[in-house]
Amino acid sequence: MKTYASISDPSFSPASTKQRPARGPVEYGYTDKTAELFRVHTPPEQQENSSPGRIVRLDRNRVLVASADGLLHLPYPTQGPVPATGDWVWLGHNTAGEPAVVEVLPRQSALSRKRAFEASSEEQVLGSNIDIVAVVVPVDRPLTHNRLERTLVAAWDSGATPLVVITKADLADLADDVVGEVILQAAGVEVVTTSAEQGDGLDELLQHIPTGATLVLLGPSGAGKSTLINALAGHEVQQTGAVRAGDGKGKHTTTSRELVPLPGGAVLMDTPGVRGFGLFDADEGMEEMFGDLETLFAQCRFGDCAHQAEPGCAVQEALAEETLDPRRWASYQKLQRELAALARKHDAAARRAYQREWHQKVMSADRGQRAAERYRHDQAEARGGKAGKRRKR
């Protein structure tokens, strides 16, 4: 059973960063590299006694933070960006003298997606300071190629290293076929095949997670993430649930993103099953995932080729010669349209903000001009009144 320090616990006394090296939560990924990050980003001046911490989980009204002295349930910070699971933070005290998050450090990496509802163009940060994004692919259901490509694009764009983890390899006779398809589709990305129930592939997976590194598991509900976490942790950390036989979907046994320390010194971030993954500003990820298409674009006769019916189009030639998979080309086009639509929404929002700002400036200038005219009028009347008095004399 986990125990949490109270926010009014008088024993909480962060180490002074000026008197000795800052102590941090080692089991949650605090390393020499992280200590250097804290040395570069010093705490606020008014926080003389501060210590490093890491956001373990976001709850409704509190954040669960790991410190060198244990876990703390603290209020959300009142200033700065909204924290995300995995953020490194400075811990200090609020004006009442209670332990508090006083600053969120800049993120070294961030896994983001567009918020789930269609009309939104806002970013949702799923996790930060991640070293490896493991895309979980179960073999007991048909492989969704477009979904795998979409998730790998986001993984590349996060700044972390993508990894594909195939689960439930003991449940399907076609596991070898699925593995072959994934390796072909995820070119350049390491693929690890596992069976958490049998303990197969776990050692190979752990080899991809250095001490102090943070791994996030990303996949649909029922993909076996919780079972895999329990196997890696060596004890039951997450509850597991059965998968429906009708549609292969599972119940969300994980309800929030949370950091889980692993015995070898690495950290694992579990995430709820992701039904959809709307890309958010993923240009770098697109280049990594579809680099072969970028090479084809450079071979087109015209620099502004639309890759439709233009003569000398390398893309159309590759499609005709069957060296380019039509599904892959269609997936690329769909993702590009999605990113373009998101950019237009951002541009529209920027235009509205600019128009509001310009309107406020015009109104302010108009008010200033009217005030100046009233002032000149009052001054003229005052001078006229004085002149009239002198004539009467």
Side-chain angles (χ1 to χ4, degrees):
M1 178 179 176
K2 293 182 179 179
T3 58
Y4 305 109
S6 169
I7 62 172
S8 58
D9 186 353
S11 65
F12 176 80
S13 178
S16 172
T17 58
K18 295 182 179 179
Q19 296 177 358
R20 59 181 182 272
R23 295 169 54 241
V26 175
E27 63 177 342
Y28 284 93
Y30 187 82
T31 62
D32 291 340
K33 180 180 178 181
T34 313
E36 180 62 27
L37 176 68
F38 277 92
R39 280 192 288 268
V40 172
H41 300 279
T42 57
E45 292 183 1
Q46 67 274 20
Q47 296 289 339
E48 295 184 359
N49 295 310
S50 302
S51 68
R54 194 177 194 187
I55 302 294
V56 174
R57 188 181 68 234
L58 302 180
D59 295 328
R60 185 180 298 274
N61 299 315
R62 300 269 174 173
V63 293
L64 182 62
V65 187
S67 72
D69 300 317
L71 295 174
L72 298 160
H73 253 142
L74 303 177
Y76 274 77
T78 57
Q79 297 179 345
V82 177
T85 301
D87 274 338
W88 290 107
V89 298
W90 275 114
L91 299 175
H93 294 85
N94 58 22
T95 55
E98 299 172 331
V101 175
V102 296
E103 186 174 325
V104 178
L105 270 62
R107 292 160 181 158
Q108 305 303 295
S109 63
L111 178 64
S112 303
R113 69 169 178 175
K114 185 178 75 68
R115 289 196 175 275
F117 49 94
E118 189 66 28
S120 171
S121 61
E122 298 179 0
E123 178 185 19
Q124 180 187 18
V125 180
L126 300 179
S128 66
N129 300 311
I130 298 164
D131 299 291
I132 304 153
V133 176
V135 182
V136 179
V137 178
V139 300
D140 61 343
R141 66 187 72 177
L143 176 64
T144 307
H145 296 275
N146 291 357
R147 181 193 182 98
L148 177 59
E149 285 175 343
R150 175 185 296 270
T151 312
L152 285 173
V153 166
W156 278 116
D157 205 64
S158 70
T161 301
L163 176 70
V164 177
V165 178
I166 296 177
T167 58
K168 307 182 182 182
D170 57 304
L171 298 182
D173 296 332
L174 301 177
D176 291 341
D177 294 338
V178 173
V179 172
E181 290 184 51
V182 170
I183 291 175
L184 183 63
Q185 186 174 351
V189 177
E190 293 284 344
V191 179
V192 178
T193 302
T194 66
S195 169
E197 295 289 346
Q198 303 294 330
D200 296 335
L202 299 183
D203 290 338
E204 182 182 356
L205 176 57
L206 288 172
Q207 291 176 4
H208 290 274
I209 318 173
T211 300
T214 299
L215 166 81
V216 62
L217 293 177
L218 199 62
S221 59
K225 300 190 303 297
S226 295
T227 303
L228 185 58
I229 287 177
N230 292 339
L232 292 173
H235 63 278
E236 186 169 347
V237 177
Q238 303 287 354
Q239 293 183 347
T240 59
V243 176
R244 295 196 297 261
D247 55 12
K249 295 182 179 180
K251 183 173 66 175
H252 289 282
T253 55
T254 305
T255 57
S256 63
R257 286 170 283 277
E258 182 173 357
L259 299 183
V260 178
L262 297 181
V267 184
L268 194 148
M269 182 187 299
D270 190 16
T271 61
V274 179
R275 291 189 178 90
F277 209 103
L279 295 182
F280 185 88
D281 189 21
D283 290 341
E284 294 183 9
M286 290 290 287
E287 292 178 6
E288 291 286 354
M289 193 61 200
F290 294 96
D292 56 327
L293 295 181
E294 298 288 341
T295 302
L296 282 177
F297 299 158
Q299 298 173 6
C300 291
R301 180 183 301 178
F302 303 107
D304 60 348
C305 182
H307 315 299
Q308 298 295 330
E310 293 87 349
C313 175
V315 173
Q316 292 301 320
E317 290 178 3
L319 289 171
E321 295 172 0
E322 298 184 353
T323 57
L324 173 60
D325 184 0
R327 184 213 57 78
R328 180 172 171 79
W329 173 238
S331 175
Y332 173 84
Q333 291 178 301
K334 181 179 179 181
L335 293 176
Q336 286 288 17
R337 288 194 298 269
E338 184 176 319
L339 290 172
L342 183 62
R344 287 194 296 271
K345 288 182 180 179
H346 278 298
D347 292 342
R351 283 196 301 271
R352 288 194 295 270
Y354 174 79
Q355 289 168 355
R356 286 194 299 269
E357 182 181 358
W358 178 252
H359 178 71
Q360 291 171 354
K361 289 181 178 179
V362 170
M363 294 298 293
S364 177
D366 186 53
R367 287 193 295 269
Q369 184 176 359
R370 289 199 300 269
E373 289 175 352
R374 284 197 301 270
Y375 176 77
R376 288 194 295 269
H377 177 72
D378 293 343
Q379 290 295 312
E381 284 189 344
R383 287 194 296 271
K386 292 179 181 179
K389 288 180 181 181
R390 286 197 294 270
R391 283 194 297 272
K392 289 181 179 179
R393 291 175 183 172

